């Protein structure tokens, strides 16, 4: 299981709103009563409930030591599904929003060296990672790409970093990130962290195929594409904590069938990207169809995201 802290439901107030870059709103959220917010670690994100069936995830990009405020940055996506539009049009200072979290499936592991890569708004989870790596005395470098400088958020903060550890790659000036130059030589003492659009993630995955297992860590904004499920027919799922056994037909999720059976289920994205519905596996083999677990974590077969993943066997037992 990935998330190490208990999630909480909060109603927070927008304390400040600034422009981080072209089309990017930077929001600071506070508890209206002045209470400290829950602790979090680099890589964590929170859910914002923006309306009926409109829940979106945003990475925390501030300072984990600053307990009175959470900072997020939201890119306005006119062709998106409505979440970023809602944030940009309604969440002004003084407004309140329901929040759940924090949740972390992209945690920073200890290492002597790091290579961080960010594309566009993917800089948000990377920012606190860079600060943590620096505080730990690790050797690190950041390569940050975007369409243009005016579209790249937090440039001022990054340019204040000492030395030449931060490399900016505005596409209109220097083209795409030179991944073969950055990642061409595998390094056994180095971890690679990347967040950004899917083409960047796929390219980094290909470039890191020769790196040691466990070197690459990435976070996706949208779900991966998958082939057909391992099983084309129905399978049974025993919900050990509920004392129920359910039959999951093709084209129905474990989550939805369990919910219809009256089992309380906490979920958010239903795409296998947010991690809310992570459930412990007690026995059976999982057909992993999420965009969170790496190959080693999938092989452990101890967790399933029931919104998208299925059984690779006739009967699966989970802790639900």
């Amino acid at each position: 299981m990935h998330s190490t802290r208990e999630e909480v439901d909060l109603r927070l107030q927008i304390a400040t709103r600034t422009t981080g870059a072209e089309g990017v709103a930077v929001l600071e959220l506070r508890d209206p009563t002045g209470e400290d917010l829950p602790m979090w670690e680099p890589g964590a994100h929170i859910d914002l409930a923006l309306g009926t069936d409109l829940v979106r995830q945003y990475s925390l990009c501030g300072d984990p030591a600053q307990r009175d405020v959470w900072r997020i940055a939201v890119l306005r996506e006119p062709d998106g599904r409505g979440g970023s539009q809602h944030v940009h049009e309604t969440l002004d200072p003084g407004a309140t929003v329901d929040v759940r979290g924090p949740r972390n499936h992209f945690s920073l592991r200890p290492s002597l060296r790091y290579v961080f890569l960010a594309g566009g708004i993917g800089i948000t989870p990377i920012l606190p990672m860079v600060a943590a790596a620096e505080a730990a005395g690790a050797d690190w470098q950041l390569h940050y790409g975007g369409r243009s400088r005016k579209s790249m958020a937090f440039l001022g903060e990054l340019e204040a970093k000492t030395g030449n550890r931060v490399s900016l790659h505005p596409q209109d000036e220097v083209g795409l990130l030179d991944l073969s130059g950055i990642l061409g030589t595998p390094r056994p003492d180095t971890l690679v962290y990347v967040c950004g659009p899917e083409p960047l993630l796929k390219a980094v995955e290909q470039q890191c195929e020769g790196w040691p297992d466990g070197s690459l860590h990435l976070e996706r904004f949208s779900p991966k594409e998958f082939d057909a499920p391992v099983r084309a027919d129905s399978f049974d799922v025993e919900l050990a904590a509920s004392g129920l056994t359910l039959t999951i037909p093709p084209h129905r999720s474990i989550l939805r069938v369990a919910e219809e059976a009256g089992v309380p289920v906490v979920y958010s994205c239903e795409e296998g990207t947010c991690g809310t519905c992570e459930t412990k596996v007690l026995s059976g083999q999982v057909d992993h169809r999420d965009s969170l677990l790496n190959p080693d974590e999938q092989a452990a077969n101890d967790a399933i995201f029931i919104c998208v993943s299925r059984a690779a066997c006739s009967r699966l037992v989970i802790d639900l």
Side-chain angles (χ1 to χ4, degrees):
M1 305 290 277
H2 287 58
S3 297
T4 57
R5 296 189 184 280
E6 192 71 24
E7 297 175 23
V8 295
D9 290 293
L10 301 167
R11 187 163 185 81
L12 301 182
Q13 189 172 53
I14 309 303
T16 65
R17 171 172 165 168
T18 56
T19 299
E22 187 176 71
V24 176
V26 180
L27 308 179
E28 289 189 333
L29 289 71
R30 297 181 188 271
D31 187 311
T33 68
E35 290 290 319
D36 278 353
L37 299 176
M39 296 175 65
W40 62 279
E41 295 170 352
H45 67 263
I46 55 175
D47 294 345
L48 263 60
L50 303 172
T52 304
D53 295 326
L54 188 62
V55 179
R56 295 293 181 265
Q57 292 74 42
Y58 299 106
S59 296
L60 293 170
C61 60
D63 180 358
Q66 192 174 1
R67 297 291 306 281
D68 62 330
V69 67
W70 280 347
R71 185 175 72 165
I72 60 173
V74 181
L75 172 66
R76 184 169 194 150
E77 300 183 81
D79 298 326
R81 297 173 298 163
S84 66
Q85 295 269 77
H86 185 98
V87 170
H88 277 255
E89 293 172 6
T90 67
L91 293 189
D92 294 316
T96 57
V97 62
D98 290 322
V99 176
R100 181 176 178 82
R103 184 182 311 116
N104 199 341
H105 293 271
F106 191 44
S107 58
L108 186 67
R109 299 183 181 179
S111 181
L112 296 174
R113 295 168 51 87
Y114 297 95
V115 175
F116 299 109
L117 298 109
I121 199 64
I123 190 62
T124 50
I126 300 295
L127 270 182
M129 290 186 175
V130 165
E134 189 164 86
D139 185 12
W140 62 271
Q141 56 180 276
L142 166 64
H143 297 272
Y144 178 20
R147 295 188 311 277
S148 64
R149 287 180 184 269
K150 64 182 181 180
S151 73
M152 297 166 67
F154 305 113
L155 289 191
E157 291 183 28
L158 292 168
E159 288 171 340
K161 297 291 183 185
T162 57
N164 57 354
R165 292 177 167 183
V166 177
S167 299
L168 303 180
H169 303 259
Q171 190 174 341
D172 62 349
E173 296 177 25
V174 299
L176 297 173
L177 286 163
D178 177 16
L179 297 181
S180 61
I182 298 168
L183 301 170
T185 303
R187 303 173 189 165
D189 62 345
T190 301
L191 296 182
V192 179
Y193 280 80
V194 57
C195 186
E198 187 64 21
L200 172 63
L201 301 186
K202 285 184 175 179
V204 171
E205 284 181 318
Q206 292 174 353
Q207 197 65 52
C208 286
E209 285 178 354
W211 283 61
D213 291 344
S215 298
L216 177 60
H217 302 266
L218 49 80
E219 183 167 62
R220 284 183 153 84
F221 295 143
S222 55
K224 293 190 291 187
E225 295 181 1
F226 288 92
D227 295 331
V230 172
R231 295 180 60 90
D233 55 349
S234 301
F235 58 90
D236 290 336
V237 174
E238 180 183 336
L239 310 183
S242 303
L244 295 175
T245 297
L246 305 175
T247 297
I248 313 299
H251 312 301
R252 297 293 314 282
S253 68
I254 299 173
L255 188 154
R256 283 299 186 183
V257 175
E259 188 177 46
E260 289 176 6
V263 178
V265 183
V266 179
Y267 61 92
S268 177
C269 73
E270 292 192 79
E271 293 182 328
T273 58
C274 77
T276 308
C277 68
E278 182 175 7
T279 305
K280 186 176 182 180
V281 174
L282 301 178
S283 71
Q285 293 296 314
V286 178
D287 177 10
H288 293 285
R289 306 182 67 77
D290 64 87
S291 302
L292 290 159
L293 299 179
N294 63 37
D296 289 341
E297 291 165 337
Q298 290 181 355
N301 205 65
D302 59 1
I304 181 173
F305 296 92
I306 59 173
C307 66
V308 290
S309 293
R310 305 183 67 76
C313 56
S314 61
R315 186 182 185 88
L316 194 64
V317 182
I318 62 176
D319 187 19
L320 186 67

